[in-house]
Short mmCIF file of all heavy atoms in Angstrom, two decimals:
data_model
loop_
_atom_site.label_atom_id
_atom_site.label_comp_id
_atom_site.label_asym_id
_atom_site.label_seq_id
_atom_site.Cartn_x
_atom_site.Cartn_y
_atom_site.Cartn_z
N TRP S 4 147.09 215.88 -55.56
CA TRP S 4 146.80 215.86 -54.16
C TRP S 4 146.54 214.38 -53.68
O TRP S 4 147.01 213.94 -52.63
CB TRP S 4 145.55 216.62 -53.80
CG TRP S 4 145.12 216.68 -52.40
CD1 TRP S 4 145.67 217.41 -51.34
CD2 TRP S 4 144.26 215.75 -51.80
NE1 TRP S 4 145.12 217.04 -50.17
CE2 TRP S 4 144.20 216.01 -50.47
CE3 TRP S 4 143.31 214.68 -52.35
CZ2 TRP S 4 143.35 215.33 -49.51
CZ3 TRP S 4 142.42 214.12 -51.51
CH2 TRP S 4 142.50 214.46 -50.08
N LEU S 5 145.79 213.69 -54.50
CA LEU S 5 145.48 212.24 -54.18
C LEU S 5 146.67 211.38 -54.07
O LEU S 5 146.91 210.63 -53.19
CB LEU S 5 144.41 211.68 -55.17
CG LEU S 5 143.80 210.45 -54.78
CD1 LEU S 5 143.05 210.51 -53.48
CD2 LEU S 5 142.80 210.00 -55.89
N GLU S 8 148.57 212.25 -50.84
CA GLU S 8 147.87 211.63 -49.80
C GLU S 8 148.18 210.16 -49.71
O GLU S 8 148.48 209.61 -48.67
CB GLU S 8 146.33 211.79 -49.86
CG GLU S 8 145.90 213.12 -49.43
CD GLU S 8 146.21 213.50 -47.97
OE1 GLU S 8 145.91 212.68 -47.14
OE2 GLU S 8 146.83 214.51 -47.75
N PHE S 9 148.17 209.50 -50.91
CA PHE S 9 148.54 208.00 -50.96
C PHE S 9 149.94 207.77 -50.43
O PHE S 9 150.13 206.88 -49.55
CB PHE S 9 148.47 207.69 -52.42
CG PHE S 9 148.76 206.14 -52.68
CD1 PHE S 9 148.00 205.19 -51.90
CD2 PHE S 9 149.59 205.76 -53.62
CE1 PHE S 9 148.20 203.87 -52.19
CE2 PHE S 9 149.85 204.38 -53.93
CZ PHE S 9 149.16 203.45 -53.11
N VAL S 10 150.93 208.59 -50.71
CA VAL S 10 152.27 208.45 -50.12
C VAL S 10 152.32 208.79 -48.65
O VAL S 10 152.85 208.06 -47.87
CB VAL S 10 153.22 209.31 -50.95
CG1 VAL S 10 154.61 209.24 -50.35
CG2 VAL S 10 153.41 208.92 -52.38
N ALA S 11 151.55 209.88 -48.27
CA ALA S 11 151.53 210.33 -46.91
C ALA S 11 150.95 209.28 -45.91
O ALA S 11 151.31 209.12 -44.88
CB ALA S 11 150.83 211.60 -46.77
N GLN S 12 149.97 208.42 -46.50
CA GLN S 12 149.27 207.36 -45.68
C GLN S 12 150.13 206.08 -45.83
O GLN S 12 149.61 205.00 -45.40
CB GLN S 12 147.97 207.19 -46.22
CG GLN S 12 147.04 208.41 -46.08
CD GLN S 12 146.78 208.69 -44.54
OE1 GLN S 12 146.66 207.78 -43.75
NE2 GLN S 12 146.61 209.98 -44.23
N GLY S 13 151.40 206.11 -46.24
CA GLY S 13 152.21 204.95 -46.23
C GLY S 13 151.87 203.91 -47.30
O GLY S 13 152.10 202.68 -47.15
N TRP S 14 151.46 204.45 -48.48
CA TRP S 14 151.19 203.64 -49.60
C TRP S 14 150.03 202.55 -49.40
O TRP S 14 149.95 201.51 -49.97
CB TRP S 14 152.41 203.02 -50.17
CG TRP S 14 153.45 203.93 -50.63
CD1 TRP S 14 154.49 204.38 -49.78
CD2 TRP S 14 153.64 204.41 -51.77
NE1 TRP S 14 155.24 205.23 -50.45
CE2 TRP S 14 154.85 205.34 -51.75
CE3 TRP S 14 153.07 204.39 -53.03
CZ2 TRP S 14 155.26 206.01 -52.84
CZ3 TRP S 14 153.62 205.05 -54.05
CH2 TRP S 14 154.70 205.92 -54.11
N SER S 15 149.13 202.98 -48.46
CA SER S 15 148.07 202.08 -48.14
C SER S 15 146.83 202.18 -49.06
O SER S 15 146.24 203.18 -49.16
CB SER S 15 147.49 202.38 -46.66
OG SER S 15 146.47 201.59 -46.40
N VAL S 16 146.65 201.11 -49.93
CA VAL S 16 145.63 201.10 -50.88
C VAL S 16 144.28 201.13 -50.08
O VAL S 16 143.28 201.72 -50.59
CB VAL S 16 145.70 199.87 -51.81
CG1 VAL S 16 144.51 199.76 -52.71
CG2 VAL S 16 147.01 199.86 -52.53
N LYS S 17 144.20 200.51 -49.00
CA LYS S 17 142.93 200.40 -48.13
C LYS S 17 142.53 201.83 -47.82
O LYS S 17 141.38 202.25 -47.90
CB LYS S 17 143.02 199.50 -47.00
CG LYS S 17 141.92 199.35 -46.23
CD LYS S 17 142.04 198.44 -45.01
CE LYS S 17 140.77 198.18 -44.28
NZ LYS S 17 140.97 197.23 -43.18
N LYS S 18 143.49 202.62 -47.31
CA LYS S 18 143.28 204.04 -46.88
C LYS S 18 142.92 204.82 -48.13
O LYS S 18 142.02 205.74 -48.02
CB LYS S 18 144.37 204.57 -46.07
CG LYS S 18 144.58 204.00 -44.82
CD LYS S 18 145.81 204.53 -44.08
CE LYS S 18 145.87 203.85 -42.62
NZ LYS S 18 147.06 204.34 -41.92
N LEU S 19 143.54 204.59 -49.24
CA LEU S 19 143.20 205.31 -50.48
C LEU S 19 141.73 205.04 -50.97
O LEU S 19 141.07 205.98 -51.27
CB LEU S 19 144.19 205.05 -51.55
CG LEU S 19 143.93 205.63 -52.89
CD1 LEU S 19 144.25 207.09 -52.78
CD2 LEU S 19 144.78 204.95 -54.02
N HIS S 20 141.35 203.75 -50.84
CA HIS S 20 139.98 203.43 -51.24
C HIS S 20 139.00 204.07 -50.23
O HIS S 20 137.98 204.59 -50.68
CB HIS S 20 139.77 201.95 -51.11
CG HIS S 20 140.33 201.20 -52.32
ND1 HIS S 20 140.70 199.96 -52.25
CD2 HIS S 20 140.64 201.60 -53.51
CE1 HIS S 20 141.17 199.50 -53.50
NE2 HIS S 20 141.14 200.56 -54.27
N ARG S 21 139.24 204.10 -48.99
CA ARG S 21 138.40 204.76 -47.98
C ARG S 21 138.27 206.23 -48.34
O ARG S 21 137.19 206.83 -48.26
CB ARG S 21 138.92 204.52 -46.59
CG ARG S 21 138.04 205.17 -45.58
CD ARG S 21 138.53 204.87 -44.06
NE ARG S 21 138.44 203.40 -43.90
CZ ARG S 21 139.59 202.71 -43.44
NH1 ARG S 21 140.73 203.35 -43.33
NH2 ARG S 21 139.45 201.38 -43.19
N LEU S 22 139.35 206.83 -48.62
CA LEU S 22 139.35 208.35 -48.97
C LEU S 22 138.53 208.55 -50.23
O LEU S 22 137.73 209.55 -50.13
CB LEU S 22 140.88 208.78 -49.16
CG LEU S 22 140.97 210.31 -49.48
CD1 LEU S 22 140.56 211.12 -48.35
CD2 LEU S 22 142.44 210.55 -49.78
N VAL S 23 138.62 207.77 -51.16
CA VAL S 23 137.89 208.04 -52.41
C VAL S 23 136.44 207.75 -52.10
O VAL S 23 135.54 208.46 -52.54
CB VAL S 23 138.43 207.14 -53.68
CG1 VAL S 23 137.59 207.14 -54.80
CG2 VAL S 23 139.84 207.61 -53.99
N MET S 24 136.16 206.53 -51.54
CA MET S 24 134.75 206.08 -51.32
C MET S 24 133.94 207.15 -50.45
O MET S 24 132.74 207.15 -50.57
CB MET S 24 134.66 204.72 -50.82
CG MET S 24 135.26 203.72 -51.73
SD MET S 24 134.45 203.61 -53.17
CE MET S 24 134.91 201.93 -53.67
N THR S 25 134.61 207.84 -49.53
CA THR S 25 133.84 208.71 -48.68
C THR S 25 133.88 210.21 -49.16
O THR S 25 133.44 210.94 -48.45
CB THR S 25 134.48 208.65 -47.24
OG1 THR S 25 135.86 208.98 -47.30
CG2 THR S 25 134.32 207.24 -46.54
N SER S 26 134.51 210.46 -50.34
CA SER S 26 134.56 211.69 -50.86
C SER S 26 133.15 212.12 -51.28
O SER S 26 132.43 211.36 -51.79
CB SER S 26 135.62 211.88 -51.92
OG SER S 26 135.19 211.22 -53.07
#
Side-chain angles (χ1 to χ4, degrees):
W4 178 83
L5 195 56
E8 283 297 309
F9 183 49
V10 173
Q12 295 295 326
W14 301 88
S15 172
V16 176
K17 184 176 182 178
K18 290 180 181 179
L19 178 69
H20 283 158
R21 182 177 298 122
L22 180 63
V23 170
M24 300 294 204
T25 58
S26 70

